[in-house]
Amino acid sequence: MTVLDNGTQGASAAPALAFYGKMLTFSRLQFGTDELSAIEAQLAATLSGKSSNIPVLIDSEVEQDLSALVELLWSWGLQPIGVVTGLLDAQARELRLAIFPADGKRIERILPTKKPATQRQQVIADQPAESSAASSPEDNAATDSTATTETTLADVAAETLVSAEQITSLIYDQMLRSGQSLNHVGGDLILTNSVNSGAEAITDNSLHVYGRAQGRLVAGATGDKDARIFCQVFNPSLVSVAGTYCLRDNLPEHVIDKSVQVRFVEGEGLVFTVMDDV
């Protein structure tokens, strides 16, 4: 969870850095060839000049000389910030470019699911030494079996805990005021109060707002197309699910100030449903 306030703080309390959840606009370039001359010809026909300064994401269906492609794009005023995961992942890592998930995918947190071998060995070593010395071979075999069983159960318990940590909903009871950003990764974000105009609530899963929902509302921030937004009183300045967004001026009038569900439907975009009508 990250709650950030844009208010001015004293120099002594200023952090070295802060994460802000903001919606950024950039274009995605899809490439079907690795011929740089053909790509440049298409750029020349598409762009009016070399000073566009447009951030772009590289999405290629074929192998590329990524370094050369990046240089070409920069020469035309485009600013490549990363690639869509796939054929170019290895080159992107070498060039320190971001790797974005494919359509419909989310960025997952990677957590260990097994205890290290040293911990498993420690469980066995913790068995009383005198029992082993005084026991018969049959008893020793039983002890070894017990130790193995205990270790396995411990591993299962650890895996269960990790699984629970991977999806964790956040309940936030305070009002989000103008200039504040609440960004939650790893589960649903549930706001029991309102989101004021100028504030934003962002999650990679589903978003629930039980107060008046203004400001910017973002669900499925890392590409989860199954994410949804549920609002008790719906009147946002921007709403987005899985990267598809809609501004206030383009919202259907019949959903304003109503109890609304927002979801993404392939081929249709954002679908707004008044829940009182369901």
Side-chain angles (χ1 to χ4, degrees):
M1 176 190 73
T2 306
V3 184
L4 300 168
D5 202 327
N6 290 344
T8 304
Q9 299 181 359
S12 60
L17 60 87
F19 283 98
Y20 283 83
K22 296 290 183 181
M23 292 291 294
L24 301 177
T25 301
F26 52 85
S27 300
R28 187 158 94 175
L29 290 181
Q30 292 183 313
F31 296 92
T33 179
D34 61 353
E35 294 290 337
L36 294 181
S37 58
I39 294 172
E40 184 163 24
Q42 185 71 50
L43 290 172
T46 304
L47 301 177
S48 58
K50 294 190 176 184
S51 59
S52 55
N53 296 320
I54 301 173
V56 295
L57 187 61
I58 297 172
D59 184 3
S60 182
E61 299 175 353
V62 297
E63 277 285 358
Q64 300 280 350
D65 181 344
L66 187 56
S67 178
L69 180 58
V70 166
E71 289 296 327
L72 175 61
L73 296 178
W74 272 103
S75 73
W76 278 91
L78 302 177
Q79 301 176 15
I81 60 174
V83 304
V84 175
T85 185
L87 296 174
L88 305 180
D89 288 7
Q91 293 186 70
R93 291 189 183 93
E94 291 179 0
L95 296 174
R96 299 295 190 266
L97 291 176
I99 300 175
F100 289 77
D103 288 341
K105 303 296 183 181
R106 322 175 35 241
I107 298 174
E108 299 289 349
R109 291 189 298 170
I110 300 176
L111 297 174
T113 58
K114 296 282 188 182
K115 282 190 173 184
T118 53
Q119 292 185 5
R120 291 198 296 270
Q121 293 169 359
Q122 185 64 40
V123 172
I124 298 174
D126 286 342
Q127 301 300 319
E130 58 272 20
S131 297
S132 298
S135 301
S136 65
E138 291 80 3
D139 293 336
N140 288 337
T143 303
D144 290 342
S145 175
T146 303
T148 302
T149 302
E150 290 177 355
T151 303
T152 304
L153 291 175
D155 288 342
V156 171
E159 290 178 359
T160 302
L161 291 174
V162 168
S163 177
E165 290 174 358
Q166 287 178 332
I167 302 178
T168 305
S169 296
L170 170 67
I171 299 176
Y172 189 74
D173 293 323
Q174 301 178 36
M175 178 183 294
L176 274 184
R177 305 183 186 281
S178 179
Q180 290 185 317
S181 174
L182 178 59
N183 193 335
H184 178 61
V185 176
D188 286 5
L189 175 57
I190 303 167
L191 289 83
T192 61
N193 212 314
S194 297
V195 180
N196 284 355
S197 179
E200 62 183 8
I202 302 173
T203 178
D204 61 341
N205 281 52
S206 293
L207 175 64
H208 310 252
V209 184
Y210 290 99
R212 184 173 179 81
Q214 297 176 291
R216 297 150 71 95
L217 311 176
V218 180
T222 57
D224 185 357
K225 293 184 178 180
D226 292 327
R228 301 189 182 193
I229 296 177
F230 302 90
C231 295
Q232 195 71 24
V233 183
F234 185 73
N235 194 358
S237 59
L238 176 146
V239 60
S240 172
V241 177
T244 298
Y245 68 91
C246 183
L247 298 175
R248 172 64 175 81
D249 293 343
N250 298 320
L251 292 174
E253 285 298 326
H254 73 279
V255 305
I256 301 300
D257 290 334
K258 299 292 180 62
S259 178
V260 172
Q261 174 190 174
V262 186
R263 58 195 176 98
F264 176 84
V265 176
E266 196 71 49
E268 298 183 36
L270 296 185
V271 175
F272 302 85
T273 304
V274 177
M275 290 188 283
D276 293 340
D277 299 338
V278 177

